[in-house]
Amino acid sequence: EPEPRATLAHGELGAWAELAADYADLKSPFTLGHSREVARIAVEAARELGFDAESLEELRLAALLHDVGRVTVSNAVWDKPGPLDAGERDLVERHAFESERIVARVPALRAVARVASLAHERLDGSGYHRGLGEAALVPAARLLAAADVAQALSQARAHRPALPRADAAAVLREGVRRGTLCPRAVDAIASAAGLAPAPASAPATAPASAPAPAPASATAPATARAAPTPVTAATVARTALPCGLTE
C-alpha cells in the first residue's frame, strides 16, 4: 500500500466494516442491504445462544465482510437471469476466497477473515471455497451460513424471485434434512429472521415468534428485465443448497 497509509483505531473497525459491506452489496441491485441484514440476524441468534460480547463482535464483523470478495466478480455473472455455466460457478465460488484474502490484509481482522470465509461452507462438505465439513465449522460459522441462506432467499435475485417466508423456512429445514445446515443454527436464525419454522432440531422450548415485517432490502429492485419464472421452495432446495449457491 503506498504512503500515506490510513490507520484505524480498534474501535473504528466496525464502522469500516459496515462501509465495506455496503460497498460490496452495491455491486448488484439485487444485494442491497444483504450483508447488514445477515449481520443483524446472525448476532441476534448468537446472543440468544449465549455468545459472549467478544464473540458477538467477531461474528458481526465476519457477517458484514463475508461477501466483500463479490466485487472481484463481474456483474455479468451476478446479474445473469439464467443458470450459471461451470466457469461462472467457479467465479461465484472464488468470491469466498477473495473475501478472506481481502479481509486478512488487516492484521486485526485475520480471525474475522477466517470466519467470514466459512459463510458458504456446508456441514457435509458440499460448500465452498474449501469444501470443509462439520468438524471444521465452528458455531459462528454455522450461524453465519444459516443467516446468509435465510437473508438471501428473502431477496430477489436475477435468476429467481424472493421467496415467501414460509418457503424460505422450508428451504432452511431442507438444508437440515440434507445435512448441509446445522439444526441448532437454523432454529436460532429462523427465529431471529422472523421465519419461525417448525423446529429443525429438538422440540421448541419457547413459543414461535410472529413473523416480522419484511426488511426494506428484501424488496425486488426496480428493473426493466422481465420477471424471473417463479420457483418453489423444493426447487431452490434442490438447485441451491447442495453447492451453497443461494446468492
Side-chain angles (χ1 to χ4, degrees):
E1 183 181 347
E3 298 287 353
R5 297 182 180 181
T7 59
L8 291 173
H10 186 77
E12 296 175 309
L13 287 175
W16 173 84
E18 290 174 349
L19 289 174
D22 292 343
Y23 181 78
D25 289 349
L26 284 168
K27 177 71 174 172
S28 168
F30 294 96
T31 55
L32 298 178
H34 168 72
S35 298
R36 283 188 185 244
E37 183 63 7
V38 170
R40 184 192 70 79
I41 62 178
V43 169
E44 183 175 329
R47 185 177 289 114
E48 289 301 312
L49 292 177
F51 280 39
D52 61 34
E54 182 177 350
S55 298
L56 287 173
E57 181 61 10
E58 182 176 282
L59 175 58
R60 186 177 83 90
L61 293 173
L64 287 169
L65 298 170
H66 77 281
D67 268 348
V68 293
R70 186 189 296 277
V71 301
T72 67
V73 179
S74 169
N75 274 44
V77 174
W78 294 124
D79 297 343
K80 183 177 179 178
L84 301 180
D85 62 32
E88 291 164 337
R89 290 173 74 89
D90 285 344
L91 289 173
V92 168
E93 294 185 7
R94 183 178 174 84
H95 91 276
F97 163 78
E98 296 293 351
S99 294
E100 181 177 19
R101 183 182 67 81
I102 292 167
V103 179
R105 288 177 62 86
V106 181
L109 292 178
R110 283 174 183 156
V112 168
R114 177 63 176 176
V115 176
S117 77
L118 302 175
H120 304 288
E121 301 287 359
R122 297 293 181 259
L123 295 182
D124 65 348
S126 65
Y128 61 90
H129 62 98
R130 291 188 176 90
L132 300 175
E134 182 174 359
L137 301 182
V138 296
R142 299 179 186 206
L143 284 171
L144 180 53
D148 183 56
V149 172
Q151 202 289 324
L153 293 174
S154 75
Q155 286 184 302
R157 294 293 186 261
H159 60 287
R160 59 162 175 80
L163 265 65
R165 288 177 179 270
D167 283 355
V171 171
L172 289 172
R173 293 197 300 273
E174 178 69 5
V176 171
R177 188 189 69 79
R178 289 170 176 256
T180 61
L181 297 175
C182 170
R184 191 165 183 236
V186 163
D187 286 346
I189 291 298
S191 177
L195 300 178
S201 53
T205 57
S209 58
S217 61
T219 58
T223 176
R225 179 184 292 145
T229 303
V231 292
T232 65
T235 299
V236 174
R238 183 171 64 252
T239 61
L241 283 176
C243 60
L245 292 176
T246 54
E247 296 295 335

